[in-house]
Amino acid sequence: MVQVSEKEKINQAVKSVMNLINDLGEELEEVEVVFHQSAITATIDEGIIKPLLEKKINVIACRNSLISQGINESSLVKGVKIVNSGVGEVVRRQKEGWIYLRL
């Protein structure tokens, strides 16, 4: 599970996730990228999100961040899933034993 919270780090974070998939893809059961805080804007940008979805990566948007940034849920790239709280999703996944990366 990867957490991206800063808008300025979106592009590098996505590159890092793609590098992870290219290197360890067959060893990974599932990959999830949680976008929240100012990085929530990535979830409405097809150029950023489509490559992740094409690699079968779960892309998660934080509803609280959508609301705070004034982004309508209908604007999300098709395939993006919504959770109420991005940080809640991070904690939930860690409790489930997921490996956590903050990029």
Side-chain angles (χ1 to χ4, degrees):
M1 188 261 313
V2 177
Q3 173 188 4
V4 185
S5 60
E6 297 173 54
K7 186 176 185 175
E8 301 77 26
K9 294 185 178 181
I10 292 170
N11 290 330
Q12 187 56 52
V14 169
K15 285 179 189 175
S16 293
V17 170
M18 297 304 278
N19 289 339
L20 173 68
I21 294 297
N22 290 335
D23 189 31
L24 298 176
E26 293 180 16
E27 299 175 47
L28 301 171
E29 291 180 32
E30 192 173 2
V31 176
E32 180 173 287
V33 180
V34 178
F35 291 96
H36 68 115
Q37 297 177 0
S38 65
I40 195 66
T41 58
T43 60
I44 60 173
D45 187 328
E46 282 197 27
I48 292 170
I49 299 303
K50 283 285 188 183
L52 296 172
L53 295 172
E54 288 170 356
K55 292 284 188 176
K56 308 291 187 221
I57 295 168
N58 297 324
V59 178
I60 308 298
C62 168
R63 181 172 279 124
N64 292 331
S65 296
L66 291 170
I67 292 167
S68 72
Q69 296 288 322
I71 298 171
N72 191 303
E73 291 180 16
S74 65
S75 301
L76 298 178
V77 173
K78 186 177 175 161
V80 173
K81 298 172 187 155
I82 300 171
V83 297
N84 286 327
S85 167
V87 293
E89 180 72 1
V90 169
V91 170
R92 187 176 306 108
R93 291 302 193 187
Q94 285 185 295
K95 284 177 64 177
E96 293 172 356
W98 285 54
I99 295 170
Y100 166 73
L101 298 172
R102 184 173 195 272
L103 300 177

